Amino acid sequence: MGLGGEGGEQRRGGGEMMAMASLFNDQQNPIQQLQVKFKEVETGFKAWLSKQSLPVEAAVVSTMSGVQGAFIGGLMGTLSPEMPQTGVDPQAMASMKQAQALVGGPWVQARNFAAITGVNAGIACVMKRIRGKDDLESAVVAALGSGFAYSLVSQGFQGQPLNAITTAAGFAVFQGIFFKLGERFSKPSPEDPFYTRSRTMLLKLGLQKYEKNFKKGLLTDPTLPLLTDSALRDVSIPPGPRLLILDHIQRDPEIKGKRGK
């Protein structure tokens, strides 16, 4: 009788914990929920795109990047004044056209940025698919192509070939410099394989900021079936997130099965 009463209290306590976890989950920050949803959509789209043929992938990437570039260019064009139309030295006409293209109106800016970003992304996509990596050579080749594309849309076929070559070379040099600076200052740490399942669980629950707490307490993936409220409290995780984590572990059949073994 006493054992049955204790079992009933445990079941009621578990039900209350699940109810509180569900209530807390419904009251989660909508921005965090949106971020998680966006990440899931982004991951699914990248997985689908990687299975397509090279022409399809390059076309999709170029179009998406071109649209983004057009939007940014159009926005910049609305914020920059139109360049006054005055007489210029014929010898400086080509340079004047490029400067005029840079400070042009929204449509000019949208066109130029669409060409730059679209061609750059398309070439980079092709180079990565062929060479299997993103490196300095691929970045420089993509920049050369975007430089030629910019010269073409800003000056047309009447532009001087030397200016097109100079512009493309300038794009390549700047891209190479930025690439090397990015390599030097942004060295992402590799994902720790001992926290793969924990990271996925926290991301799904919108609690990814507590990943450092898991690492601080050495709560690796093998410890997930053994987690208790006190263990999570020891690594300074608040009550609400603790309920969500424990409820998720209880509902996950794979983790729950490991606990029963």
Side-chain angles (χ1 to χ4, degrees):
M1 190 71 176
L3 293 176
E6 291 179 1
E9 289 179 0
Q10 291 178 355
R11 286 192 295 271
R12 284 195 296 272
E16 291 176 359
M17 185 183 72
M18 293 167 58
M20 291 178 66
S22 300
L23 178 61
F24 186 84
N25 192 30
D26 293 338
Q27 296 176 348
Q28 272 189 335
N29 190 337
I31 297 179
Q32 290 183 344
Q33 293 180 344
L34 184 62
Q35 289 176 340
V36 173
K37 191 65 177 177
F38 177 79
K39 188 69 176 179
E40 291 177 353
V41 173
E42 183 184 21
T43 303
F45 177 76
K46 288 182 178 180
W48 171 84
L49 192 61
S50 64
K51 298 177 182 178
Q52 307 306 309
S53 62
L54 178 57
V56 172
E57 183 181 6
V60 172
V61 170
S62 298
T63 301
M64 293 180 62
S65 298
V67 171
Q68 293 175 0
F71 175 78
I72 296 174
L75 182 62
M76 293 180 62
T78 59
L79 302 177
S80 60
E82 289 282 350
M83 191 171 184
Q85 299 294 328
T86 57
V88 294
D89 186 348
Q91 294 181 354
M93 181 61 69
S95 299
M96 184 66 178
K97 284 184 177 180
Q98 289 195 355
Q100 200 171 24
L102 280 173
V103 298
W107 292 110
V108 175
Q109 292 272 30
R111 177 199 66 190
N112 293 343
F113 274 81
I116 293 172
T117 57
V119 173
N120 188 291
I123 295 177
C125 174
V126 172
M127 294 291 290
K128 183 177 181 180
R129 177 70 76 89
I130 294 176
R131 306 180 72 239
K133 58 182 178 178
D134 284 320
D135 56 6
L136 180 62
E137 288 78 5
S138 298
V140 169
V141 171
L144 284 170
S146 61
F148 277 115
Y150 169 72
S151 297
L152 180 63
V153 299
S154 61
Q155 299 183 39
F157 291 101
Q158 298 178 354
Q160 298 181 7
L162 182 59
N163 284 336
I165 296 174
T166 303
T167 301
F171 272 58
V173 170
F174 280 110
Q175 182 81 353
I177 293 174
F178 290 141
F179 186 89
K180 297 303 290 185
L181 289 175
E183 275 190 339
R184 181 174 181 178
F185 293 106
S186 60
K187 295 180 178 180
S189 56
E191 289 190 353
D192 195 329
F194 293 103
Y195 298 92
T196 302
R197 182 178 289 276
S198 302
R199 186 181 302 110
T200 302
M201 176 188 66
L202 294 174
L203 181 63
K204 184 176 181 180
L205 296 174
L207 303 175
Q208 55 270 26
K209 67 179 181 179
Y210 294 112
E211 182 180 346
K212 61 180 182 296
N213 300 68
F214 270 66
K215 291 183 177 180
K216 180 181 178 180
L218 299 179
L219 300 179
T220 57
D221 289 348
T223 68
L224 287 180
L226 308 174
L227 280 185
T228 61
D229 184 79
S230 60
L232 295 174
R233 184 170 58 249
D234 289 343
V235 294
S236 303
I237 296 179
R242 293 204 304 266
L243 289 173
L244 281 176
I245 293 170
L246 293 175
D247 179 63
H248 177 85
I249 292 175
Q250 186 175 0
R251 293 172 181 269
D252 191 312
E254 186 175 351
I255 298 178
K256 193 174 180 181
K258 290 181 180 180
R259 172 181 285 182
K261 291 181 180 180

